[in-house]
Amino acid sequence: MEHALSPATLTELRRPRPYPAVSVLTPTHRREPDNAQDPVRLRNVVAEAKKQLEADPSVTRERRTDVVDQLERALKEVDLAHAEDGLAIFAAPGEHQVWSLARTVPERVVLSDTFLTRNLVAAQASERPFWVLAVSADRVTLWNGGAEHVVEDDSGGFPLSRDRENFDAERQEQIGDMPSTFRDEGTRRFLRDADTAMSAVLREQPRPLYVTGETAALSALDEIGTVTKDAAHVPHGGLAHGTPQAVWQAVRPLISAEEKKHTDEVARELVTARGRKEFAAGVDEVWQNATEGRIRLLAVEENYRVTVRDGGDHLVPAESGDLDAREDIVDEIVEQCLETGAEVRFVPDGSLGDAKGIAGVLRY
């Protein structure tokens, strides 16, 4: 299952497909007892997709057979033992993908000529993704971080490693160089290569960077690095050979502190925007401004969900399952704001007070 949504991957997902491009979404659960329902719901929603394919007169028998086969292949790739909060299956003639999302989604099936990406975009934004670079003299690993976890990533050619014979303790003692591993030119060249590789990753997928390693390694990066020099440093040795849990525990205090800082900054910006009358609150007002590209900063409470329908000039409340109900309007707003260059911040539930779960700072 896929987790990390890069700009290049999103562009590929949004590419038009031969009809039908099928998007199947269903909520999933991380823990018992709620996750007991996931296998049944998943089978049912895939069965609904097959039913819609069968009933669509514009889908030829050959193409229907192809897409149904892709759905079956995707179903076999789903790993509900490691489920997060939502699941998206995309299937089109000759291809399929399975995405695990750290944000719940409404259960739905959509047949179109493109895949439905807004829930992926919103999930990625809500995860507040970051990079962790774990550095040692003989190995550098890259970790893709999100909500409450990190996983090792091979972007940019990582992990990087060197022959361990360069670190023979007896040889270092003979030349009197035990304390200066990170002053050795070979080691510094290795770290410089890691910095260059990290720079390429950040160009493709810009996000906050944390660098972890023993103090001497971080000092060396301060001297020779470019992007790593300006990253947040976490003095902690051994993580270049460490486990995901060990890396997460090392960076977690900094991540938590940074999230609180950002939440406080958002609160201050919203107060200032109110005073300047550059403020929008509530799903209807925010949606109208988002469609006009007027939102500069969007703030959304992490678990805010609302179902609406288009009442003409305004969005009006609706029940799930109502005709024309839009159950993922918040995700639509998030995607629309990101498309128009707005900054999107997810904040803890209750942070927005009377703004009713969603608010925006306007450009004008």
Side-chain angles (χ1 to χ4, degrees):
M1 297 192 295
E2 303 287 342
H3 295 265
L5 184 66
S6 69
T9 302
L10 180 59
T11 298
E12 169 59 21
L13 283 174
R14 286 174 167 169
R15 174 177 59 82
R17 262 75 179 174
Y19 186 86
V22 181
S23 301
V24 177
L25 282 77
T26 184
T28 54
H29 303 83
R30 297 174 187 255
R31 299 176 183 85
E32 297 178 342
D34 294 331
N35 61 5
Q37 64 184 281
D38 292 348
V40 175
R41 292 190 68 164
L42 178 57
R43 286 196 298 270
N44 288 345
V45 74
V46 171
E48 173 62 25
K50 294 176 182 178
K51 181 180 177 182
Q52 291 191 27
L53 285 167
E54 186 70 34
D56 192 331
S58 65
V59 181
T60 65
R61 180 178 179 181
E62 179 183 8
R63 188 157 288 181
R64 180 170 60 249
T65 300
D66 186 349
V67 176
V68 167
D69 179 60
Q70 296 297 331
L71 284 170
E72 290 291 346
R73 293 186 186 186
L75 202 53
K76 292 177 181 177
E77 294 177 11
V78 173
D79 181 8
L80 290 176
H82 297 92
E84 297 177 277
D85 302 305
L87 188 71
I89 294 176
F90 299 137
E95 64 172 321
H96 68 272
Q97 295 189 39
V98 179
W99 287 83
S100 178
L101 311 180
R103 180 172 168 82
T104 192
V105 296
E107 186 170 288
R108 68 190 308 177
V109 174
V110 177
L111 275 61
S112 184
D113 58 359
T114 57
F115 294 136
L116 185 68
T117 60
R118 61 174 172 256
N119 304 101
L120 269 70
V121 171
Q124 180 82 350
S126 70
E127 275 205 298
R128 296 178 289 275
F130 57 89
W131 294 117
V132 180
L133 196 68
V135 177
S136 71
D138 65 332
R139 182 176 171 84
V140 180
T141 52
L142 179 64
W143 301 83
N144 183 351
E148 300 293 320
H149 74 282
V150 297
V151 294
E152 192 169 353
D153 197 287
D154 61 3
S155 300
F158 288 101
L160 305 181
S161 60
R162 298 172 68 200
D163 192 331
R164 291 190 66 86
E165 72 180 16
N166 293 318
F167 309 99
D168 179 75
E170 184 177 342
R171 174 183 172 275
Q172 290 181 335
E173 286 178 342
Q174 288 173 352
I175 62 175
D177 199 33
M178 277 297 284
S180 58
T181 300
F182 292 98
R183 293 201 299 271
D184 171 75
E185 184 53 38
T187 302
R188 294 169 74 84
R189 190 181 310 114
F190 176 64
L191 295 182
R192 196 175 292 115
D193 290 343
D195 181 86
T196 301
M198 190 68 238
S199 178
V201 171
L202 288 171
R203 282 197 299 272
E204 290 294 321
Q205 300 184 63
R207 59 176 73 169
L209 172 63
Y210 298 84
V211 180
T212 178
E214 58 184 274
T215 303
L218 300 180
S219 295
L221 285 170
D222 273 344
E223 296 174 19
I224 64 176
T226 54
V227 295
T228 51
K229 176 181 178 180
D230 297 324
H233 287 186
V234 185
H236 192 302
L239 295 180
H241 298 270
T243 64
Q245 183 64 17
V247 174
W248 169 245
Q249 291 301 327
V251 300
R252 184 176 188 174
L254 271 75
I255 301 296
S256 298
E258 196 67 18
E259 288 178 354
K260 184 180 186 309
K261 175 184 173 184
H262 287 161
T263 299
D264 292 344
E265 288 173 352
V266 167
R268 286 194 294 270
E269 286 219 45
L270 292 174
V271 168
T272 301
R274 279 181 186 267
R276 294 177 177 173
K277 302 190 184 304
E278 297 173 350
F279 178 78
V283 67
D284 181 47
E285 188 175 339
V286 169
W287 170 247
Q288 291 186 46
N289 283 282
T291 56
E292 296 170 4
R294 296 184 62 198
I295 293 183
R296 176 175 65 79
L297 168 67
L298 177 71
V300 185
E301 291 184 358
E302 289 170 346
N303 294 299
Y304 177 62
R305 290 285 186 281
V306 63
T307 301
V308 299
R309 59 181 174 82
D310 195 337
D313 294 335
H314 297 278
L315 299 176
V316 296
E319 295 295 326
S320 178
D322 283 357
L323 185 64
D324 297 329
R326 297 163 78 167
E327 297 185 39
D328 51 0
I329 186 65
V330 174
D331 287 2
E332 288 189 54
I333 292 172
V334 169
E335 183 178 49
Q336 178 67 28
C337 287
L338 289 170
E339 285 291 302
T340 55
E343 180 183 5
V344 175
R345 291 288 183 188
F346 284 81
V347 297
D349 294 346
S351 299
L352 300 181
D354 61 0
K356 299 178 182 177
I358 189 167
V361 176
L362 306 183
R363 292 189 168 99
Y364 56 90

